[in-house]
Amino acid sequence: MNVLVVHDYGPLGRLVLETLRGTSLAIRPLLIRSPDGVDPAALEDWIPEETDLIVNTLWHNDPEAAERDPETIREWTFSIPMALAEHARAHDIALIQLSTCYVFDGRKQSAYITSNPGQPFSQLGNWQWECEQALRTLLPRHLILRTGWSLDRFIRKISASAEGATQLELSSRHRGQPVALRDLARVIRALVLQIDCGAEVWGTYQYAGAEEISQYELGLEIVNALPELSEVHVVDKVPAWAKLEPENTTLGCIKIRNTFGVKQHPWRTRLKEEAALIAGTAQPETH
């Protein structure tokens, strides 16, 4: 099977390429440097005609960044995926598309399942939900993978606070499950390999790391795990940016386990590795 991995300069695309190159699949990268540089008409030249599957690793998971630049986030999370989907439909190509827990409003008291309708209230969630709905209509051979919180994002946020004010407000009311970059790459690999085996398993799936936690408790775990953040004092208080955060983003991940055999891995064991990936100094994973 011929697989095209669409990626940016972030670490997820690199990790997905690394893990897929360890298989017998034919892997090609497609680097998208910026959304304004994407011409849908150019996809004919960019995507090899022998492509069987497109894996879109453009993973956007920060609602604050989306509010600051809504037009750019629309391009990344809707326009580019739709252009890829249109091309895929015309050329009988399958597509894996990432989404996030921000498609939900957080009012549900228990974990969200894949069939729960999205009710987003942020720019990020709105465009991701629009993308999901359009993709279901446009392209039957698709996999939508919704993810939990980005562990990468929270490490970056806490690291940034260490460079300025040493006190960081995080909320104990907002709960969810982080997912580490290398763990997400592992999950994407599992989906790709099942498609290669001919499995007709199209639809929406969810994945997040094992163990639900509050943002406040997550902040404490990060600070305690990373010595360079020891000066940061995490306080239990709802920060202003939490207005963009659903209070409950817990995802039920039974469907992906039953369909693909993908088990949830603990995010706690990935904290130091995630920080190293962010710093660009990660060591190869040992088996």
Side-chain angles (χ1 to χ4, degrees):
M1 185 170 72
N2 295 286
V3 180
L4 182 74
V5 177
V6 180
H7 66 102
D8 55 15
Y9 286 113
L12 179 61
R14 175 171 57 82
L15 291 171
V16 170
L17 285 166
E18 286 177 4
T19 189
L20 289 178
R21 282 173 176 154
T23 70
S24 60
L25 302 171
I27 308 300
R28 293 276 298 270
L30 173 58
L31 172 64
I32 295 182
R33 294 178 174 84
S34 65
D36 56 4
V38 177
D39 177 4
L43 291 178
E44 292 286 345
D45 298 324
W46 295 353
I47 300 177
E49 64 179 57
E50 66 272 16
T51 301
D52 301 300
L53 171 66
I54 298 171
V55 179
N56 182 8
T57 68
L58 303 177
W59 185 42
H60 290 270
N61 47 59
D62 186 347
E64 293 174 84
E67 297 295 321
R68 289 192 297 267
D69 193 351
E71 184 58 30
T72 295
I73 207 66
R74 184 184 74 83
E75 292 292 323
W76 281 121
T77 60
F78 183 79
S79 300
I80 292 174
M82 286 302 99
L84 294 172
E86 291 276 7
H87 182 90
R89 181 179 65 171
H91 295 81
D92 192 28
I93 300 171
L95 173 67
I96 294 178
Q97 173 65 37
L98 298 177
S99 187
T100 72
C101 55
Y102 290 99
V103 301
F104 298 120
D105 64 7
R107 295 183 182 180
K108 190 179 179 185
Q109 298 302 305
S110 56
Y112 285 94
I113 59 176
T114 56
S115 58
N116 289 143
Q119 293 180 312
F121 58 82
S122 66
Q123 290 283 351
L124 177 64
N126 283 332
W127 287 118
Q128 288 178 332
W129 179 239
E130 289 288 331
C131 177
E132 286 192 21
Q133 291 178 296
L135 193 55
R136 293 185 187 103
T137 301
L138 181 65
L139 187 65
R141 296 176 66 232
H142 72 265
L143 287 179
I144 295 168
L145 179 60
R146 288 191 198 125
T147 69
W149 292 333
S150 163
L151 185 59
D152 166 282
R153 176 193 169 210
F154 280 90
I155 292 176
R156 289 179 187 274
K157 180 177 283 294
I158 294 173
S159 298
S161 84
E163 298 170 3
T166 56
Q167 179 168 298
L168 178 67
E169 298 173 352
L170 290 172
S171 169
S172 60
R173 284 170 37 193
H174 294 77
R175 303 190 64 82
Q177 308 134 296
V179 59
L181 289 162
R182 198 179 293 276
D183 191 26
L184 182 54
R186 171 188 70 91
V187 174
I188 293 171
R189 179 182 187 273
L191 271 58
V192 171
L193 291 178
Q194 284 294 312
I195 294 171
D196 183 47
C197 290
E200 294 290 325
V201 288
W202 314 112
T204 303
Y205 296 85
Q206 297 181 156
Y207 182 80
E211 189 187 348
E212 175 190 349
I213 195 169
S214 73
Q215 292 183 352
Y216 167 67
E217 294 166 327
L218 176 59
L220 292 177
E221 290 292 332
I222 292 171
V223 167
N224 291 335
L226 304 177
E228 62 270 27
L229 301 178
S230 60
E231 297 300 316
V232 178
H233 178 53
V234 180
V235 296
D236 182 2
K237 186 177 179 180
V238 180
W241 54 265
K243 67 179 185 236
L244 301 173
E245 297 284 331
E247 289 197 7
N248 172 32
T249 57
T250 307
L251 300 178
C253 302
I254 295 175
K255 182 180 177 182
I256 197 170
R257 183 192 67 193
N258 292 345
T259 306
F260 294 99
V262 171
K263 296 180 180 179
Q264 289 175 274
H265 283 193
W267 50 267
R268 291 176 185 270
T269 58
R270 299 280 192 181
L271 284 169
K272 291 184 178 180
E273 177 188 66
E274 193 86 348
L277 281 168
I278 294 169
T281 57
Q283 298 300 311
E285 188 174 38
T286 57
H287 299 276

